[in-house]
Amino acid sequence: MPRKPRFSLAGVPQHVIQRGNNREPCFYSKEDYLAYLEFMDIAAKKAECHVHAYVLMTNHVHLLLTPMKEYGVSVFMQSLGKRYVQYINSTYKRTGTLWEGRYKASLVDSQAYLLICMRYIELNPVRANMVDTAGEYRWSSYNCNAFAKINNHITPHPLYKALGITVDERCYAYRELFRNKIADRFLHEIREITNHELVLGREDFKDRIEMMLQRKTRKGVPGRPSVREKEICYGVYVY
């Protein structure tokens, strides 16, 4: 069965997850994390992608990025993955795959979910009980977004910039978002949407994406397809 095409629109953020094969580590030393970030910069320039948030966990990575051209994320991940796998295989005298199949990605409705998605990504080490606070984890974008620590890997999203007029105002407002726990429904929604490579957003946002791309953006429901589902499947969208 052929793989379904990815959602890809220039200017629309995507949440990307890539996991180590069989949940095995993909980072073994500080040098590995630094190498990944270096290759991430190279890939971002090549693919014209802006990275807004990231976390590099022991056996997987989360990225939030906006492609400036269609299929930019695919070019980005191909470039990054190829360089990093070559580095790991050469450094550790190994062969074979490093990643678990292809990466997972979902479009993100920036107006409603961008800041939630950034928090979800940067709080990953806290949920994994690796640290008590997001700022304690070195390999994420949190200290850049929350404390303006220099991080050349990050390009602020316009909605992040809108948090305040000055850098201090933006950082303060961003830190305040972390005072409240992310609701369980959002955690579940982000995981489900990303694992199924659908669209994370409001219903009207999903409707617009379906109309633009003539593809379903929602998880299928068992049983006979509705009239609306048939219209989308056959490329006929009717309001």
Side-chain angles (χ1 to χ4, degrees), residues 67-85:
M68 294 296 103
K69 59 183 181 181
E70 192 176 9
Y71 305 118
V73 172
S74 294
V75 175
F76 173 92
M77 293 302 293
Q78 183 180 31
S79 172
L80 173 55
K82 181 179 179 180
R83 287 176 184 273
Y84 188 68
V85 171

Side-chain angles (χ1 to χ4, degrees), residues 112-123:
Y113 283 88
L114 183 106
L115 294 173
I116 294 174
C117 200
M118 290 176 69
R119 289 165 58 204
Y120 175 85
I121 289 170
E122 293 172 350
L123 283 170

Side-chain angles (χ1 to χ4, degrees), residues 1 23 26 70 127 142 162 171 179 185:
M1 183 177 179
R23 298 187 181 275
C26 37
E70 192 176 9
R127 289 194 299 275
Y142 176 79
C171 288
R179 286 184 175 273
R185 71 180 184 90

Side-chain angles (χ1 to χ4, degrees), residues 31-59:
E31 289 71 25
D32 299 344
Y33 292 97
L34 293 172
Y36 187 93
L37 292 174
E38 178 185 348
F39 299 146
M40 185 174 76
D41 291 345
I42 295 172
K45 291 176 183 177
K46 176 181 179 180
E48 297 181 37
C49 287
H50 294 165
V51 179
H52 312 303
Y54 68 83
V55 66
L56 312 184
M57 303 294 284
T58 306
N59 63 1

Side-chain angles (χ1 to χ4, degrees), residues 196-213:
H196 288 92
E197 299 191 278
L198 297 172
V199 174
L200 180 64
R202 299 161 295 180
E203 294 306 305
D204 62 330
F205 179 80
K206 294 177 182 179
D207 288 341
R208 291 199 302 272
I209 298 300
E210 287 184 349
M211 184 171 61
M212 291 172 64
L213 300 181

Side-chain angles (χ1 to χ4, degrees), residues 87-197:
Y87 160 82
I88 287 292
N89 286 350
S90 174
T91 301
Y92 297 100
K93 310 302 180 189
R94 67 184 296 279
T95 59
T97 185
L98 178 68
W99 305 113
E100 182 181 74
R102 69 177 195 164
Y103 66 87
K104 303 282 189 180
S106 62
L107 289 183
V108 177
D109 176 358
S110 56
Q111 290 293 332
Y113 283 88
L114 183 106
L115 294 173
I116 294 174
C117 200
M118 290 176 69
R119 289 165 58 204
Y120 175 85
I121 289 170
E122 293 172 350
L123 283 170
N124 212 278
V126 178
R127 289 194 299 275
N129 296 315
M130 297 172 70
V131 292
D132 292 325
T133 63
E136 296 175 63
Y137 193 73
R138 178 177 179 181
W139 308 111
S140 88
S141 53
Y142 176 79
N143 284 315
C144 172
N145 290 319
F147 294 101
K149 183 176 180 180
I150 295 175
N151 187 328
N152 296 325
H153 315 301
I154 292 299
T155 300
H157 189 278
L159 281 176
Y160 169 82
K161 289 184 175 181
L163 289 174
I165 297 174
T166 67
V167 172
D168 287 343
E169 288 178 354
R170 288 195 290 270
C171 288
Y172 175 78
Y174 190 73
R175 292 196 301 273
E176 286 295 297
L177 295 175
F178 284 73
R179 286 184 175 273
N180 298 317
K181 180 182 177 183
I182 300 176
D184 288 341
R185 71 180 184 90
F186 285 126
L187 294 176
H188 176 75
E189 185 178 10
I190 292 172
R191 289 167 182 155
E192 280 290 297
I193 293 297
T194 307
N195 285 331
H196 288 92
E197 299 191 278

